[in-house]
Amino acid sequence: MCGIIGIASNKSVSINIINALKKLEYRGYDSAGLATITKGEINEKKCPGRVEKLEKILFQNPSEGKLGIGHVRWATHGVPNKVNAHPHSSEIVSVVHNGIIENSDELKKKLEISGQIFKSQTDTEVITILLTEKLKKLDPLNAVFETLDMLKGSFALGIIFKNFQDFVIGARRGSPLAVGYSNNENYLGSDSYALKSMTNKISYLDDGDVCLLSKDQIKFYNSKKEKINKEIFTLSDDKSSVSKGNYKNFMIKEIFEQPISIKTCLKEYIDKIREEINFYNLPINPKDIEKIVLIGCGTAYHSCLVAKYWLEELTSLTIETDIASEFRYRKVRFDKKALYIFVSQSGETADTYAALDICKKQNVKTCSIINVVESSIARHSDCVLPIHAGPEIGVASTKAFLGQMLVLYLLSLKISESRKDIDQIQYKRKIIDLKKLPSLITETLKEEEKIQLIAKDIYTSKGSMFLGRGSSFPIALEGALKLKELSYLHAEGYPAGEMKHGPLALIEDGLPVVVIAPKDKYFEKTISNMQEVIARGGKILLITNSVGQVISENVRFQIDLPESDLSLTPFLFSVPLQLLSYHVALFKKCDIDKPRNLAKSVTVE
Ligand code: F6R
C-alpha cells in the first residue's frame, strides 16, 4: 500500500509533508520518512512507527528545504525498521515508492554482480540504484524513463535529485498518483485527500504518465515521453468533519454516524415527491441486462454477497459474485449483456481496480459503487454510484459497508421494478419500509450497553464462530472479519447449515458462537443448527428480532433487534456485530482505528 507525497515550494516544506503524511496513514503506518534538499544535499530522516514519531525527530532536528518527498509504509519487502523505511536515497537521488516491483530480485542480483551494495531488503532500493547509475549519463527525465522501462509490477514514485533542485518527478504505473496546484507551490500525492488541506485543484496521472513538478509549473509526459496536458478538477468542498469530535476514536464515531449516512444516501437516490428510486446513468438499460456480476474485496465483497440474495429474490437475473483478486486471474467468459459492478469504499483497491480494468478492456458494461468519488475506480468505470457515507477513517469499514449495501439494495429494487419483476405496489411498499431504516438503526444502536457486557464475557476466549443462513450468512462473514481484524481474536464465519460438515468439530465448552437469526424463512433451520452447537457446549450469543420471545433457555445472551421488512435485516444485524468487535478490541486494548498489519487503502495486490 504505502502513501507518498512530494512538494516543490518557495518556502520550507517539511511541516506540510508531515501533515499530508498524517492524512496518508490510512494507507500504511508501520514506518515513515521524508527527504528534503537541505543546503544542497539530500537530507533523509526516517523511523519505524507512526508519523508522530517522525514529527518528534524533526522537532528536535528540523529539516529545512523548499523541495521534498515523504512516505508512510505498509511493509511488503522487508520488516518495518528504519533501514527499510522510505525514502531510499543515494548521494544524488532519493525515492519514495508505493506498489511492488515484481522483478526486483532479478534486478538486484544483476546489480550485485556488477558490484552494487544494497542496504535494505526492499524492492524500492533497486530503483534508487538504477537511477543513480543512469544519472551518470542522462538528465533526470530520461534517467527516470529508462529506469521505468526496466521495472515490472505496479508503482507510484516520487523522486528528488541532489543536482537538480528545482523539481520533484512523479511516475505512475498501476498505483494511483495525483498532483495539486497552488501559488508558488505544487504537490504530488497518493490521493487528493492528502492534498485537500493545501489545494482543491487536482489532476490525476494515468498509467505510464510521468510528471515534473516545480514550484510554479507541472509538466506531464505520457509513456512515449510526449508532452501532454491534463484536465484540472476542482475538488468538492466536503464539509463533513474528519475529526473524532467527542468520540474515543473514529470507528465508534462512524458506527454512530450510520443513521445519518444512510439518511443522506437515501435522500440522494429517492425522489421525495414521486417516491421513486433514481439511477439516471446506468450504462445498460435494466431491461436489457441478462446477468449481474458483483466484485469486491473484504468487507466490500461481503456487501456483494448480500446483494446476491436480494437480486435473486427480487429479479429473475443470473447473479454472480467474485473476489477481485480471484476474478482478475481467472479465465472468465465475458458477457456483453451483463453488468459488472465493482464495490469499493476507497476506490483505490488494487485488485478491484485490476478486475475493472480487465472488464474495460473486454468492452463490457461497468459500474462502480464507491465512497471516494475522486478515486481511480470511480474515474475508470462507465458509471459511478456513490454511497455518500462521508470520509471513513477507521481502518475497519463500518458505515461504508452499510452504504454499499444500501446502494446495492436500491439498485436491486430499481432493476426489479424496471424489469417488472416486482409490481408497483410491492415496489412502493419497499421504498416506504426502506425510509424507516435510519430510525431502525438508531434503535439498534441502543443495544450498545448489553453488547459491552457480552464483550467483557468473551474477550479472553481463544476463538469464536459466527453463523447465519441466507443473507445472514454474509453478515456472519462480516461479523467474523470485524472481530478478527480489530481484536486479533480468531473468528470463523459459516453458513449455519454447513456446521455438521466439519466445523462442528471446533465446538467445545465455552466457545462463543454468534448466531444471526432474523425471523425469516431460515429462522427455524438456524435455531436447529444453534441447538446442535448448544448440545456440544458452545456459548451462544443469539441475535434475533423475535420481539422478546425466549428462544432457548440455553442461550447465554440474546439481543432483540427491532422488527423490519425482512430485506433490511442485513443492515440492522450488522450493527451489533460492529459494536461487539469494537468492545472486544477495547477490552483487549487494541489500536481500534489502526489495527496491526492493516491499512485503509489496499493499493498492492
Ligand atoms: C475490513 C475492510 C476491508 C476492505 C477491503 C476493500 O473492515 O475494510 O476488508 O473492505 O480492503 O477495501 P475497499 O472497499 O476500499 O475496496
PDB file of all heavy atoms in Angstrom, residues 63 75 97 108 119 133 215 257 293 395 454 457 475 512-513 517 552 583:
ATOM      1  N   SER A  63      14.258  19.662   9.400  1.00  0.00           N
ATOM      2  CA  SER A  63      14.761  19.515   8.030  1.00  0.00           C
ATOM      3  C   SER A  63      14.337  20.746   7.251  1.00  0.00           C
ATOM      4  O   SER A  63      13.157  20.911   6.963  1.00  0.00           O
ATOM      5  CB  SER A  63      14.130  18.291   7.356  1.00  0.00           C
ATOM      6  OG  SER A  63      14.760  17.128   7.752  1.00  0.00           O
ATOM      7  N   ALA A  75       4.604  -2.521   4.979  1.00  0.00           N
ATOM      8  CA  ALA A  75       5.725  -3.351   4.517  1.00  0.00           C
ATOM      9  C   ALA A  75       5.300  -4.439   3.533  1.00  0.00           C
ATOM     10  O   ALA A  75       4.336  -5.160   3.783  1.00  0.00           O
ATOM     11  CB  ALA A  75       6.398  -3.976   5.728  1.00  0.00           C
ATOM     12  N   HIS A  97       8.189   5.239  -2.807  1.00  0.00           N
ATOM     13  CA  HIS A  97       7.536   4.287  -3.716  1.00  0.00           C
ATOM     14  C   HIS A  97       6.309   3.682  -3.056  1.00  0.00           C
ATOM     15  O   HIS A  97       6.349   3.291  -1.891  1.00  0.00           O
ATOM     16  CB  HIS A  97       8.591   3.208  -4.050  1.00  0.00           C
ATOM     17  CG  HIS A  97       8.059   1.963  -4.699  1.00  0.00           C
ATOM     18  ND1 HIS A  97       8.577   0.716  -4.436  1.00  0.00           N
ATOM     19  CD2 HIS A  97       7.077   1.771  -5.602  1.00  0.00           C
ATOM     20  CE1 HIS A  97       7.945  -0.187  -5.143  1.00  0.00           C
ATOM     21  NE2 HIS A  97       7.018   0.422  -5.859  1.00  0.00           N
ATOM     22  N   LYS A 108      18.103  -6.993  -8.686  1.00  0.00           N
ATOM     23  CA  LYS A 108      19.043  -6.889  -7.567  1.00  0.00           C
ATOM     24  C   LYS A 108      20.248  -7.802  -7.801  1.00  0.00           C
ATOM     25  O   LYS A 108      21.404  -7.394  -7.620  1.00  0.00           O
ATOM     26  CB  LYS A 108      18.309  -7.290  -6.282  1.00  0.00           C
ATOM     27  CG  LYS A 108      18.973  -6.838  -5.023  1.00  0.00           C
ATOM     28  CD  LYS A 108      18.004  -7.019  -3.855  1.00  0.00           C
ATOM     29  CE  LYS A 108      18.670  -6.664  -2.551  1.00  0.00           C
ATOM     30  NZ  LYS A 108      17.762  -6.725  -1.421  1.00  0.00           N
ATOM     31  N   LYS A 119      21.497  -1.705   0.961  1.00  0.00           N
ATOM     32  CA  LYS A 119      21.429  -1.518   2.418  1.00  0.00           C
ATOM     33  C   LYS A 119      20.172  -2.164   2.992  1.00  0.00           C
ATOM     34  O   LYS A 119      20.151  -2.604   4.117  1.00  0.00           O
ATOM     35  CB  LYS A 119      21.385  -0.011   2.733  1.00  0.00           C
ATOM     36  CG  LYS A 119      22.680   0.723   2.421  1.00  0.00           C
ATOM     37  CD  LYS A 119      22.559   2.203   2.762  1.00  0.00           C
ATOM     38  CE  LYS A 119      22.017   2.982   1.576  1.00  0.00           C
ATOM     39  NZ  LYS A 119      21.954   4.408   1.662  1.00  0.00           N
ATOM     40  N   GLU A 133      22.848   5.151 -11.238  1.00  0.00           N
ATOM     41  CA  GLU A 133      23.717   4.754 -12.368  1.00  0.00           C
ATOM     42  C   GLU A 133      23.370   5.553 -13.610  1.00  0.00           C
ATOM     43  O   GLU A 133      24.228   6.103 -14.283  1.00  0.00           O
ATOM     44  CB  GLU A 133      23.534   3.257 -12.645  1.00  0.00           C
ATOM     45  CG  GLU A 133      24.271   2.365 -11.675  1.00  0.00           C
ATOM     46  CD  GLU A 133      25.748   2.686 -11.650  1.00  0.00           C
ATOM     47  OE1 GLU A 133      26.415   2.472 -12.682  1.00  0.00           O
ATOM     48  OE2 GLU A 133      26.228   3.184 -10.603  1.00  0.00           O
ATOM     49  N   LYS A 215       7.997  24.541  -8.351  1.00  0.00           N
ATOM     50  CA  LYS A 215       7.090  25.341  -7.509  1.00  0.00           C
ATOM     51  C   LYS A 215       6.078  26.108  -8.354  1.00  0.00           C
ATOM     52  O   LYS A 215       4.977  26.405  -7.917  1.00  0.00           O
ATOM     53  CB  LYS A 215       7.855  26.279  -6.590  1.00  0.00           C
ATOM     54  CG  LYS A 215       8.593  27.419  -7.262  1.00  0.00           C
ATOM     55  CD  LYS A 215       9.237  28.272  -6.187  1.00  0.00           C
ATOM     56  CE  LYS A 215      10.249  29.265  -6.679  1.00  0.00           C
ATOM     57  NZ  LYS A 215      10.122  29.842  -8.005  1.00  0.00           N
ATOM     58  N   GLU A 257     -22.577   7.235  13.343  1.00  0.00           N
ATOM     59  CA  GLU A 257     -22.977   8.123  12.237  1.00  0.00           C
ATOM     60  C   GLU A 257     -23.916   7.426  11.259  1.00  0.00           C
ATOM     61  O   GLU A 257     -24.450   8.063  10.350  1.00  0.00           O
ATOM     62  CB  GLU A 257     -21.729   8.533  11.446  1.00  0.00           C
ATOM     63  CG  GLU A 257     -21.145   9.863  11.835  1.00  0.00           C
ATOM     64  CD  GLU A 257     -19.796  10.105  11.165  1.00  0.00           C
ATOM     65  OE1 GLU A 257     -19.405   9.345  10.254  1.00  0.00           O
ATOM     66  OE2 GLU A 257     -19.131  11.047  11.555  1.00  0.00           O
ATOM     67  N   VAL A 293     -22.725  -9.249 -12.361  1.00  0.00           N
ATOM     68  CA  VAL A 293     -21.548  -9.793 -11.691  1.00  0.00           C
ATOM     69  C   VAL A 293     -21.079  -8.750 -10.681  1.00  0.00           C
ATOM     70  O   VAL A 293     -20.853  -7.588 -11.041  1.00  0.00           O
ATOM     71  CB  VAL A 293     -20.420 -10.110 -12.705  1.00  0.00           C
ATOM     72  CG1 VAL A 293     -19.243 -10.784 -12.013  1.00  0.00           C
ATOM     73  CG2 VAL A 293     -20.949 -10.980 -13.845  1.00  0.00           C
ATOM     74  N   VAL A 395      -9.833   2.054  10.082  1.00  0.00           N
ATOM     75  CA  VAL A 395      -9.435   1.056   9.083  1.00  0.00           C
ATOM     76  C   VAL A 395     -10.543   0.017   8.883  1.00  0.00           C
ATOM     77  O   VAL A 395     -10.809  -0.408   7.755  1.00  0.00           O
ATOM     78  CB  VAL A 395      -8.076   0.415   9.469  1.00  0.00           C
ATOM     79  CG1 VAL A 395      -7.827  -0.866   8.702  1.00  0.00           C
ATOM     80  CG2 VAL A 395      -6.950   1.411   9.203  1.00  0.00           C
ATOM     81  N   ILE A 454     -21.462  -8.418  26.922  1.00  0.00           N
ATOM     82  CA  ILE A 454     -21.111  -9.654  26.191  1.00  0.00           C
ATOM     83  C   ILE A 454     -19.618  -9.636  25.851  1.00  0.00           C
ATOM     84  O   ILE A 454     -18.912 -10.625  26.034  1.00  0.00           O
ATOM     85  CB  ILE A 454     -21.954  -9.779  24.902  1.00  0.00           C
ATOM     86  CG1 ILE A 454     -23.444  -9.795  25.249  1.00  0.00           C
ATOM     87  CG2 ILE A 454     -21.556 -11.015  24.107  1.00  0.00           C
ATOM     88  CD1 ILE A 454     -24.383  -9.657  24.055  1.00  0.00           C
ATOM     89  N   ASP A 457     -17.530 -10.634  28.602  1.00  0.00           N
ATOM     90  CA  ASP A 457     -17.624 -12.076  28.861  1.00  0.00           C
ATOM     91  C   ASP A 457     -16.761 -12.896  27.882  1.00  0.00           C
ATOM     92  O   ASP A 457     -16.294 -13.963  28.231  1.00  0.00           O
ATOM     93  CB  ASP A 457     -19.098 -12.493  28.736  1.00  0.00           C
ATOM     94  CG  ASP A 457     -19.317 -13.910  29.190  1.00  0.00           C
ATOM     95  OD1 ASP A 457     -19.406 -14.105  30.413  1.00  0.00           O
ATOM     96  OD2 ASP A 457     -19.364 -14.812  28.331  1.00  0.00           O
ATOM     97  N   ILE A 475     -23.467 -11.742   6.515  1.00  0.00           N
ATOM     98  CA  ILE A 475     -23.357 -10.881   7.705  1.00  0.00           C
ATOM     99  C   ILE A 475     -22.508 -11.598   8.766  1.00  0.00           C
ATOM    100  O   ILE A 475     -21.730 -10.982   9.488  1.00  0.00           O
ATOM    101  CB  ILE A 475     -24.759 -10.489   8.247  1.00  0.00           C
ATOM    102  CG1 ILE A 475     -25.527  -9.704   7.172  1.00  0.00           C
ATOM    103  CG2 ILE A 475     -24.687  -9.682   9.541  1.00  0.00           C
ATOM    104  CD1 ILE A 475     -24.831  -8.464   6.622  1.00  0.00           C
ATOM    105  N   PRO A 512     -17.433 -19.101  22.240  1.00  0.00           N
ATOM    106  CA  PRO A 512     -18.502 -18.165  21.860  1.00  0.00           C
ATOM    107  C   PRO A 512     -18.959 -18.395  20.414  1.00  0.00           C
ATOM    108  O   PRO A 512     -18.134 -18.461  19.501  1.00  0.00           O
ATOM    109  CB  PRO A 512     -17.852 -16.783  21.978  1.00  0.00           C
ATOM    110  CG  PRO A 512     -16.584 -16.987  22.723  1.00  0.00           C
ATOM    111  CD  PRO A 512     -16.164 -18.404  22.521  1.00  0.00           C
ATOM    112  N   VAL A 513     -20.267 -18.549  20.247  1.00  0.00           N
ATOM    113  CA  VAL A 513     -20.831 -18.735  18.906  1.00  0.00           C
ATOM    114  C   VAL A 513     -21.944 -17.698  18.720  1.00  0.00           C
ATOM    115  O   VAL A 513     -22.938 -17.699  19.449  1.00  0.00           O
ATOM    116  CB  VAL A 513     -21.384 -20.165  18.716  1.00  0.00           C
ATOM    117  CG1 VAL A 513     -21.973 -20.327  17.317  1.00  0.00           C
ATOM    118  CG2 VAL A 513     -20.290 -21.202  18.939  1.00  0.00           C
ATOM    119  N   ALA A 517     -30.030 -14.756  13.597  1.00  0.00           N
ATOM    120  CA  ALA A 517     -31.277 -15.447  13.235  1.00  0.00           C
ATOM    121  C   ALA A 517     -32.467 -14.500  13.176  1.00  0.00           C
ATOM    122  O   ALA A 517     -33.305 -14.476  14.097  1.00  0.00           O
ATOM    123  CB  ALA A 517     -31.543 -16.577  14.232  1.00  0.00           C
ATOM    124  N   SER A 552     -34.442 -20.082  23.579  1.00  0.00           N
ATOM    125  CA  SER A 552     -33.951 -21.285  24.255  1.00  0.00           C
ATOM    126  C   SER A 552     -33.352 -20.882  25.592  1.00  0.00           C
ATOM    127  O   SER A 552     -32.684 -19.851  25.698  1.00  0.00           O
ATOM    128  CB  SER A 552     -32.882 -21.965  23.386  1.00  0.00           C
ATOM    129  OG  SER A 552     -32.160 -22.874  24.174  1.00  0.00           O
ATOM    130  N   HIS A 583     -16.048  -3.424  21.091  1.00  0.00           N
ATOM    131  CA  HIS A 583     -15.872  -3.518  22.547  1.00  0.00           C
ATOM    132  C   HIS A 583     -14.899  -4.630  22.942  1.00  0.00           C
ATOM    133  O   HIS A 583     -14.167  -4.484  23.920  1.00  0.00           O
ATOM    134  CB  HIS A 583     -17.229  -3.655  23.242  1.00  0.00           C
ATOM    135  CG  HIS A 583     -17.940  -2.333  23.301  1.00  0.00           C
ATOM    136  ND1 HIS A 583     -17.520  -1.307  24.105  1.00  0.00           N
ATOM    137  CD2 HIS A 583     -18.994  -1.852  22.600  1.00  0.00           C
ATOM    138  CE1 HIS A 583     -18.292  -0.249  23.920  1.00  0.00           C
ATOM    139  NE2 HIS A 583     -19.205  -0.561  23.015  1.00  0.00           N
TER     140      HIS A 583
END
